């Protein structure tokens, strides 16, 4: 990983104050190559945007990993802001204006999904929806402990995403 390049005092696209910090860091991801992690954060309005871009052009692709054991929690994941993350029968995270890119691992992805389910559960009045959310959270915890299996799919038209494991199935995105 290279040193973080930082630029302070830029104009925020949301609040228009000169309190935006831009950051860029180069990182080498084994079996994927060099990536650049970009982020911008406003200290005034808390606007935040991040993305990951590969230095080499990759074709649009789809990665599928069957999570079947606790060791799979450590599998490296590169997700660009254009990628869709799918966990069949649990959740689909589609890209949009607020979508961010990041470099994480499977556990980090599942933690994000758990947090999203917990947040939606708190605002839910319907008892059956609350029960469904509670059951999904239990399932995710069992997956993280290696007691249940689950598929993780990342589809990226930009080619800037990857799941890096010998167990992964990679296809060209149609």
């Amino acid at each position: 990983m290279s040193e973080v390049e930082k630029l302070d005092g830029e104009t925020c696209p949301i609040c228009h104050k000169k309190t935006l910090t831009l950051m860029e860091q180069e990182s080498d991801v084994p079996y994927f190559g060099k990536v650049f992690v970009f982020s911008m954060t406003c200290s005034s309005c808390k606007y935040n945007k991040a993305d990951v871009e590969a230095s080499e052009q990759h074709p649009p692709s789809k990665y599928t990993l069957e999570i079947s054991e606790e060791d799979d929690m450590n599998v490296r994941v590169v997700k660009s802001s254009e990628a869709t993350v799918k966990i069949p029968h649990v959740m689909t995270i589609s890209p949009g204006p607020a979508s961010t890119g990041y470099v994480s691992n499977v556990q980090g992805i599942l933690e994000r999904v758990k947090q999203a389910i917990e947040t939606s559960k708190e605002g839910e009045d319907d008892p059956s929806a609350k029960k469904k959310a509670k059951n999904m959270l239990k399932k995710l915890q069992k997956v993280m402990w290696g007691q249940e299996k689950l598929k993780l799919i990342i589809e990226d038209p930009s080619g800037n995403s990857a799941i890096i494991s010998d167990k992964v199935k990679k296809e060209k995105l149609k």
Side-chain angles (χ1 to χ4, degrees):
M1 242 188 224
S2 70
E3 200 172 300
V4 177
E5 289 185 38
K6 193 173 170 183
L7 193 56
D8 290 314
E10 295 299 306
T11 303
C12 175
I14 305 302
C15 71
H16 305 291
K17 294 181 181 173
K18 290 196 172 285
T19 51
L20 187 74
T21 300
L22 304 174
M23 291 192 288
E24 176 186 48
Q25 184 171 23
E26 186 181 310
S27 184
D28 194 22
V29 178
Y31 310 105
F32 186 70
K34 194 181 293 188
V35 296
F36 296 95
V37 181
F38 303 98
S39 70
M40 56 178 89
T41 307
C42 179
S43 60
S44 295
C45 70
K46 306 301 179 215
Y47 170 72
N48 186 14
K49 179 82 174 150
D51 204 354
V52 176
E53 198 174 290
S55 67
E56 300 170 21
Q57 188 81 24
H58 294 279
S61 43
K62 174 181 177 180
Y63 293 85
T64 304
L65 173 69
E66 182 162 335
I67 304 165
S68 59
E69 55 191 7
E70 201 172 347
D71 283 349
D72 292 337
M73 294 300 106
N74 299 318
V75 170
R76 176 73 64 208
V77 177
V78 178
K79 183 219 168 275
S80 83
S81 65
E82 295 181 44
T84 299
V85 177
K86 295 179 179 181
I87 301 174
H89 312 296
V90 177
M91 181 179 279
T92 295
I93 304 167
S94 299
S99 181
T100 60
Y102 48 83
V103 178
S104 185
N105 57 19
V106 169
Q107 181 175 354
I109 300 274
L110 296 182
E111 290 291 346
R112 286 171 189 256
V113 169
K114 278 175 59 178
Q115 188 175 21
I117 293 170
E118 286 167 354
T119 300
S120 69
K121 186 179 107 180
E122 288 171 16
E124 190 59 64
D125 292 330
D126 179 13
S128 67
K130 278 192 175 206
K131 184 176 182 181
K132 186 179 177 186
K134 187 177 177 184
N135 289 338
M136 276 197 273
L137 291 168
K138 282 182 183 175
K139 179 178 178 72
L140 286 173
Q141 192 57 58
K142 286 182 178 179
V143 169
M144 292 171 89
W145 290 336
Q147 297 170 351
E148 280 196 36
K149 293 180 180 183
L150 192 68
K151 278 193 178 157
L152 171 64
I153 302 164
I154 295 186
E155 296 176 349
D156 190 347
S158 74
N160 286 325
S161 298
I163 301 174
I164 300 153
S165 167
D166 293 339
K167 293 173 60 173
V168 81
K169 180 181 165 195
K170 182 181 177 185
E171 308 169 53
K172 284 192 173 148
L173 195 58
K174 296 171 179 92

